[in-house]
Amino acid sequence: MEKQIASLHLVSAFLAMEPTDCVLSHARSLGGGSVTVDVQRFVWDHCISKAIGKCHAPYLKNFLKKLILEIESNHDDVLDELYELYTEFMISLKDENAVKGNVRALKYISFLFPDDASCKDAMVRKLVVPLHCSLNMLEGDTGCSIWPASLFLSEFILSIPDMFSSKTCFEVGSGVGLVGICLSHVKASKAILSDGDLSTLSNMKLNLKMNQLSTGDDEPEFSECSDSVKCLHLPWECASESELQGLEPDIILGADVIYDPLCLPHLVRLLSILVDKSEPSLRFPRAGCDSAIGNSHDYSNRCNSQDVEAARDRAGNASPTKHPIAYISSVIRNANTFDRFLALVDKANLTVADLTGTFQPASLLPYMQSYDRSSIRLFRLSSK
Ligand SMILES: C[S@@+](CC[C@H](N)C(=O)[O-])C[C@H]1O[C@@H](n2cnc3c(N)ncnc32)[C@H](O)[C@@H]1O
């Protein structure tokens, strides 16, 4: 069973294009400390030979180089196939370092669901999501890369599927579309993804189609079937109140959207419209009631172990007449920007609860050493 898990982690890391050192460390684990001939054979059969012509070639070349170096430095024999392919790459990919610009790659994100502990021989269930993404983190206003906060939000959704099933879910700044694919997997009744960047939006649609999800583009009306996900071009600055009110989500989601101070007022306005169903005149505090966030923000320490239960219950009961809830996952890179977000949220009469300390979704990406879950915070926004 341990070998089965180790080989699953190795293949998953390779398919997700994890840093080559990380893939190598999985290969070492599988071989009990070194990349044995059996492990090399496994890597060739299950990773490399399947990836030829499909995987980003410079990645494969780099992986081969490190793999061969590792084996040689241990004075072990290297499989002929590995040498031959590396030699081919040396000839055909001489100037890959000169490749500049927006290079896309196909990554496969495998969510591995822990097996039933009572059943020793149970296979690990997995959900594999292929995603086109850019190797340039800034492409598409940052929306063509997979950011760790969306991995976390995906784990959150897949950990508590009943909280999202049969719900209308709306995501802001959806990027490559991973969260929407997970929402569809847990049978959200409607998943609406949005982004303000057009190239991100077209990449997102490509990803949805690749995952056998209809984007509704080819149909006269957005179909209600669970394998369709709607994509909206929605720059926060231009979203009209009536357009937002027409969405009527039960749950609003956002991953790594709190980073640009200039966009924050627009993002918070949008969230407050979606979360708060009170009369617009009641939505913002009276003039002069600009309560200092330092006095009133209770987002950290407010939640307790019942918080997620309460969130689950509340979401479970959500209907168009109830107040929707927003879940935002975020890496806090700049404390000032985050404080600005909190101040705006407070001004917009929204309550923020930090769920990070009390709720951790199941770890479904255990092979992904580059994904640091501890850097991610999860917040719940609701109307005061
Ligand atoms: C850091 S990326 C996160 C993408 C995705 N949620 C993830 O975590 O992988 C931020 C996303 O927000 C979108 N975004 C940024 N500013 C925006 C704005 N003003 N209006 C709409 N979308 C915006 C970007 O296009 C990008 O897709």
Side-chain angles (χ1 to χ4, degrees), residues 73-248:
S73 65
N74 279 339
H75 308 290
D76 288 329
D77 291 334
V78 178
L79 281 192
D80 288 347
E81 291 93 324
L82 299 178
Y83 273 137
E84 279 159 21
L85 185 61
Y86 185 60
T87 312
E88 269 179 47
F89 278 140
M90 294 276 280
I91 297 162
S92 62
L93 276 180
K94 262 191 214 136
D95 56 352
E96 88 267 24
N97 289 335
V99 176
K100 295 254 159 38
N102 297 331
V103 178
R104 295 275 170 97
L106 182 58
K107 295 187 180 181
Y108 293 82
I109 307 299
S110 306
F111 293 96
L112 308 180
F113 296 86
D115 58 346
D116 180 354
S118 61
C119 178
K120 248 179 84 193
D121 297 325
M123 292 283 289
V124 174
R125 196 164 55 84
K126 61 179 175 174
L127 166 68
V128 182
V129 181
L131 291 170
H132 275 291
C133 29
S134 178
L135 299 182
N136 170 5
M137 280 159 64
L138 300 180
E139 190 191 341
D141 200 9
T142 67
C144 291
S145 300
I146 308 169
W147 294 84
S150 70
L151 296 173
F152 189 87
L153 206 52
S154 300
E155 288 185 309
F156 179 59
I157 293 165
L158 297 170
S159 298
I160 324 176
D162 57 332
M163 196 163 115
F164 298 91
S165 62
S166 311
K167 299 290 183 304
T168 295
C169 301
F170 171 73
E171 192 195 10
V172 291
S174 303
V176 295
L178 176 62
V179 164
I181 293 163
C182 293
L183 286 171
S184 159
H185 184 77
V186 300
K187 307 255 177 300
S189 58
K190 211 186 240 186
I192 309 164
L193 308 188
S194 70
D195 209 279
D197 182 83
L198 283 171
S199 61
T200 292
L201 206 65
S202 63
N203 185 53
M204 186 195 303
K205 288 181 181 177
L206 191 74
N207 282 331
L208 295 173
K209 286 194 177 139
M210 197 167 45
N211 284 275
Q212 281 78 49
L213 294 169
S214 153
T215 54
D217 281 0
D218 310 329
E219 296 141 38
E221 273 181 38
F222 176 49
S223 138
E224 296 291 323
C225 66
S226 62
D227 57 357
S228 64
V229 175
K230 191 174 186 176
C231 300
L232 287 183
H233 179 227
L234 193 83
W236 307 329
E237 296 76 0
C238 322
S240 75
E241 185 146 353
S242 59
E243 183 183 11
L244 294 171
Q245 278 168 345
L247 297 172
E248 302 213 316

